[in-house]
Amino acid sequence: MIKQKIVNWEALGFLRFVLACIVSFGHLTFFSVKPAAWTFVAYDLGGKAAVLGFFLVSGYSIAASLESSPVGYFRRRLLRIYPLYITAITAAIIV
């Protein structure tokens, strides 16, 4: 009998959001003459570490998704990613 892992997708999604915000806030200081004091928190937390953490969490969630239901995995990923990808390319061409 194979034991199913319980994955807290909400917590993983929130962690990815926080890590992405750390990276984004770290980049804000490059676009401002006098950056806000709160953007320096991103430097204290470490943008490179946040990127690595984001990739680790994403890799774990991809592996967990693939392990839980491998049939049709690539089709699901294609249907999730490509509509947004094609929309972004179309918008970039129009602009």
Side-chain angles (χ1 to χ4, degrees), residues 10-25 54 57:
E10 292 81 17
L12 285 177
F14 180 72
L15 180 59
R16 285 175 55 187
F17 174 75
V18 168
L19 292 171
C21 285
I22 291 169
V23 174
S24 298
F25 294 157
F54 183 87
V57 172

Side-chain angles (χ1 to χ4, degrees), residues 23-35 43:
V23 174
S24 298
F25 294 157
H27 289 294
L28 284 177
T29 59
F30 295 114
F31 298 107
S32 176
V33 175
K34 184 178 179 201
Y43 285 119

Side-chain angles (χ1 to χ4, degrees), residues 31-47:
F31 298 107
S32 176
V33 175
K34 184 178 179 201
W38 59 268
T39 58
F40 288 106
V41 172
Y43 285 119
D44 293 338
L45 295 173

Side-chain angles (χ1 to χ4, degrees), residues 41-92:
V41 172
Y43 285 119
D44 293 338
L45 295 173
K48 290 180 183 178
V51 169
L52 290 175
F54 183 87
F55 286 151
L56 285 171
V57 172
S58 296
Y60 176 80
S61 64
I62 288 171
S65 176
L66 184 59
E67 185 179 334
S68 68
S69 60
V71 177
Y73 170 77
F74 291 107
R75 184 174 189 281
R76 290 192 310 269
R77 293 293 292 173
L78 185 112
L79 291 175
R80 179 182 294 184
I81 294 170
Y82 270 91
L84 181 59
Y85 180 67
I86 292 169
T87 304
I89 289 176
T90 305

